[in-house]
């Protein structure tokens, strides 16, 4: 049995019932086989993979808070501090009923390689709670956030662990969390990213993941003799990533024709009117079906099926495992030639394999959606220097980081004889840096 297979079997045995974590480890280790086989004896002796797949620390805690009826509620809180070989733990906090240890370990594991790819000194972590902010009053959200941070504050710091936002954690939640951290510690430091511009936030952070996604797609197309301008794009989701991927794609001359949410999707053959979407999602926090009330020529469809819409480029930006093998086949048969992941692991393993086997350009999430965490790291830099860079400065740095990430993935794929396989390339490029740092620091 190969070293990779041994370690994967160990992960499954020692982490029962954690399907999402198993999937993430399997996909990454399989794609790293070329690099691992070349150094198997050395890595075995150091138990390098065993250390790589085991989080350095998992913190689990209860979060009691009082709702507007005076009833005490209790949620579960987590922080998975996965790997700090190249810098302080960095990764978002997710507030959603689906949050559990398996999902956070999967996200934290992916974050290690994603953060490494940015070229910035940040390790990987993830956290959150099964609290659902939807339908809660501002006071209830504040009560939860203050209770959550009261415990989390013991384990984080600007040079230790720097959380950010994720699903369910936007500007409101970050503000409440930061206020409580400051109140508890007396420190005004860059302990959270995604902060408001009035208290240490960075310009472009809101746009960063969506913009970064389109920047790397643009670079991938250019290096493969194609261009983004004039292409038809389908984007799943209608949250922050999807909105700003749409914005940047439109700026670069593409036509985005569809967006979705958990209820269904909207198709606008004339191109999505972004001002309408922003008003629905960012101002009123409504549902995407309301789009057809403002744009009667658009069509709303309840349920799944967004990937049946003909397009040149597909950008899954909603959630994990949203795009399966049947979806991949539908995209291919309808003329799609490029897919890039704006969400974390939105394509199933079978879908990813289909894209690669059929010669489609495919950029995995750890490379394609790294713009968000890259700009979070730029926010950390600004906080440390007590500076605030202009929108243009941050956007230029983001663009360069995404171009560099493509170059690293492309180079690693070519070095290992699998040119064009950016899944293998991105994983190996991220892995090599982390492994070099772990090796240099001894057995820790």
């Amino acid at each position: 049995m190969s070293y990779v297979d041994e370690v994967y079997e160990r992960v499954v045995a020692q982490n029962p019932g954690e399907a999402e974590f198993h999937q993430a480890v399997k996909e990454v280790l399989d794609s790293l086989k070329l690099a691992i086989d070349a150094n198997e004896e050395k890595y075995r002796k150091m138990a390098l993979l065993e250390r790589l797949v085991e989080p350095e620390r998992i913190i689990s805690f209860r979060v009691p808070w009082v709702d507007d009826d005076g009833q005490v509620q209790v949620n579960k809180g987590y922080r998975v501090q996965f790997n700090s070989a190249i810098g302080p733990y960095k990764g978002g906090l997710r507030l959603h009923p689906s949050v559990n240890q398996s999902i956070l370990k999967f996200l934290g594991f992916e974050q290690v390689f994603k953060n490494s790819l940015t070229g910035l000194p940040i390790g990987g972590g993830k956290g959150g709670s099964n609290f659902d902010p939807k339908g809660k009053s501002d006071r209830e959200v504040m009560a939860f956030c203050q209770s959550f941070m009261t415990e989390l504050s013991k384990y984080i710091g600007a040079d230790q662990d720097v959380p950010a936002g994720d699903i369910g954690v936007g500007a409101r939640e970050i503000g409440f969390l930061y206020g409580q951290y400051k109140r508890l510690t007396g420190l005004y430091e860059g302990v959270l990213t995604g902060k408001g511009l009035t208290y240490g936030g960075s310009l472009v952070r809101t746009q960063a993941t969506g913009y970064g996604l389109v920047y790397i797609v643009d670079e991938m197309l250019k290096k493969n003799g194609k261009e983004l301008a004039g292409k038809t794009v389908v984007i799943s989701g209608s949250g922050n990533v999807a909105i700003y991927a749409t914005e940047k794609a439109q700026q670069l001359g593409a036509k985005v024709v569809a967006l979705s949410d958990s209820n269904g999707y909207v198709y606008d053959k004339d191109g999505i009117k972004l001002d309408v979407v922003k008003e629905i999602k960012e101002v009123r926090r409504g549902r995407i079906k309301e789009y057809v009330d403002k744009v009667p020529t658009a069509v709303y469809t309840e349920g799944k099926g967004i990937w049946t819409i003909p397009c040149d480029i597909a950008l899954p930006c909603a959630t994990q495992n949203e795009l399966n093998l049947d979806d991949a086949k539908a995209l291919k048969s309808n003329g799609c030639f490029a897919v890039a992941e704006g969400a974390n692991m939105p394509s199933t393993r079978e879908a990813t394999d289909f894209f690669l086997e059929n010669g489609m350009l495919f950029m995995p999430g750890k490379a394609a959606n790294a713009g968000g965490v890259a700009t979070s790291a730029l926010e950390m830099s600004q906080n440390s220097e007590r500076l605030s860079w202009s929108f243009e400065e941050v956007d230029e740095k983001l663009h360069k980081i995404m171009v560099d990430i493509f170059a690293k993935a492309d180079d690693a794929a070519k070095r290992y004889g699998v040119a064009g396989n950016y899944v293998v390339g991105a994983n190996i490029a991220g892995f090599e840096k982390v492994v070099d740092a772990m090796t240099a620091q001894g057995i820790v």
Side-chain angles (χ1 to χ4, degrees):
M1 186 184 296
S2 74
Y3 183 33
V4 162
D5 291 336
E6 282 179 29
V7 172
Y8 176 68
E9 284 196 3
R10 175 184 168 126
V11 166
V12 173
Q14 294 187 349
N15 301 272
E18 297 187 352
E20 297 86 358
F21 182 51
H22 300 166
Q23 180 186 352
V25 170
K26 175 77 171 159
E27 290 188 9
V28 170
L29 292 187
D30 281 353
S31 69
L32 290 173
K33 270 187 173 177
L34 292 170
I36 292 166
D37 289 350
N39 298 278
E40 181 173 337
E41 186 178 344
K42 174 185 172 185
Y43 290 164
R44 270 186 185 274
K45 188 176 177 81
M46 298 176 66
L48 199 131
L49 293 188
E50 289 90 338
R51 288 189 287 140
L52 189 69
V53 299
E54 189 68 37
E56 292 175 14
R57 192 175 298 103
I58 299 176
I59 300 124
S60 174
F61 51 95
R62 72 180 180 210
V63 188
W65 56 281
V66 182
D67 67 20
D68 286 344
D69 295 327
Q71 174 65 47
V72 175
Q73 303 287 345
V74 181
N75 287 98
K76 292 197 73 167
Y78 303 91
R79 187 65 179 170
V80 178
Q81 297 178 329
F82 218 106
N83 191 296
S84 60
I86 60 175
Y89 309 105
K90 186 86 195 77
L93 296 171
R94 175 173 294 192
L95 300 183
H96 191 272
S98 66
V99 165
N100 58 38
Q101 188 166 288
S102 173
I103 286 175
L104 294 180
K105 283 166 71 176
F106 131 56
L107 292 168
F109 185 64
E110 290 274 301
Q111 198 80 43
V112 174
F113 304 98
K114 181 191 301 186
N115 293 0
S116 174
L117 281 171
T118 68
L120 300 167
I122 43 176
K126 206 75 180 183
S129 171
N130 59 357
F131 172 82
D132 188 358
K134 282 184 181 173
K136 304 289 194 301
S137 70
D138 287 350
R139 194 212 62 80
E140 288 176 319
V141 172
M142 182 175 72
F144 169 83
C145 288
Q146 289 178 340
S147 180
F148 183 84
M149 181 53 79
T150 297
E151 184 63 24
L152 185 66
S153 64
K154 302 168 187 175
Y155 309 101
I156 63 175
D159 296 310
Q160 179 181 2
D161 184 350
V162 183
D166 194 75
I167 293 171
V169 179
R172 173 183 61 172
E173 290 76 16
I174 290 290
F176 292 150
L177 291 165
Y178 190 75
Q180 183 71 352
Y181 179 85
K182 190 160 61 75
R183 177 194 208 180
L184 292 166
T185 64
L187 297 173
Y188 205 110
E189 61 178 14
V191 70
L192 288 166
T193 55
K195 299 185 294 299
L197 295 175
T198 56
Y199 62 101
S202 174
L203 290 161
V204 191
R205 181 59 192 90
T206 303
Q207 297 88 346
T209 308
Y211 277 21
L213 170 63
V214 176
Y215 286 148
I216 202 167
V217 168
D218 188 44
E219 186 69 10
M220 177 173 70
L221 295 182
K222 285 177 182 174
K223 290 297 190 286
N224 285 277
K226 302 178 186 294
E227 63 177 3
L228 186 58
K231 299 300 185 292
T232 299
V233 182
V234 166
I235 299 178
S236 66
S238 51
N240 178 270
V241 181
I243 285 173
Y244 290 100
T246 300
E247 182 169 281
K248 183 54 65 175
Q250 290 176 341
Q251 288 174 5
L252 296 182
K255 182 165 79 167
V256 180
V257 296
L259 291 172
S260 67
D261 60 20
S262 55
N263 294 123
Y265 62 94
V266 64
Y267 170 65
D268 187 341
K269 63 180 175 57
D270 298 323
I272 291 291
K273 314 299 185 289
L274 198 56
D275 57 335
V276 175
V277 176
K278 285 184 176 182
E279 199 273 332
I280 293 169
K281 303 301 287 191
E282 295 184 336
V283 178
R284 293 193 284 107
R285 300 190 183 195
R287 308 303 294 170
I288 198 64
K289 66 182 177 183
E290 297 168 32
Y291 183 90
V292 296
D293 298 334
K294 301 281 188 180
V295 186
T297 54
V299 178
Y300 173 73
T301 304
E302 193 81 11
K304 298 181 179 179
I306 191 170
W307 305 120
T308 62
I309 297 171
C311 64
D312 301 307
I313 298 164
L315 304 178
C317 296
T319 190
Q320 66 257 24
N321 294 325
E322 61 168 292
L323 196 163
N324 61 31
L325 178 59
D326 288 340
D327 298 325
K329 289 178 177 177
L331 285 169
K332 173 70 175 174
S333 66
N334 282 325
C336 179
F337 63 82
V339 180
E341 297 183 323
N344 291 304
M345 210 165 67
S347 309
T348 64
R349 176 68 181 271
E350 294 76 19
T352 298
D353 289 345
F354 179 86
F355 294 141
L356 297 173
E357 289 163 6
N358 285 272
M360 297 171 71
L361 298 174
F362 177 73
M363 188 59 67
K366 63 174 56 65
N369 68 35
V373 74
T375 306
S376 282
L378 297 177
E379 181 176 328
M380 291 165 65
S381 298
Q382 292 170 79
N383 292 167
S384 295
E385 295 183 78
R386 300 291 191 266
L387 293 175
S388 181
W389 299 331
S390 70
F391 189 99
E392 291 72 23
E393 285 178 289
V394 181
D395 192 33
E396 183 181 346
K397 292 177 192 293
L398 169 63
H399 192 181
K400 183 178 186 305
I401 287 168
M402 299 312 296
V403 169
D404 287 348
I405 289 174
F406 174 80
K408 289 172 188 172
D410 188 45
D411 173 67
K414 288 173 178 172
R415 278 192 286 118
Y416 282 90
V418 287
N421 187 330
Y422 303 123
V423 174
V424 170
N427 281 325
I428 289 178
F431 171 78
E432 287 175 335
K433 181 178 178 182
V434 174
V435 165
D436 285 350
M438 288 176 69
T439 303
Q441 292 167 29
I443 308 304
V444 293

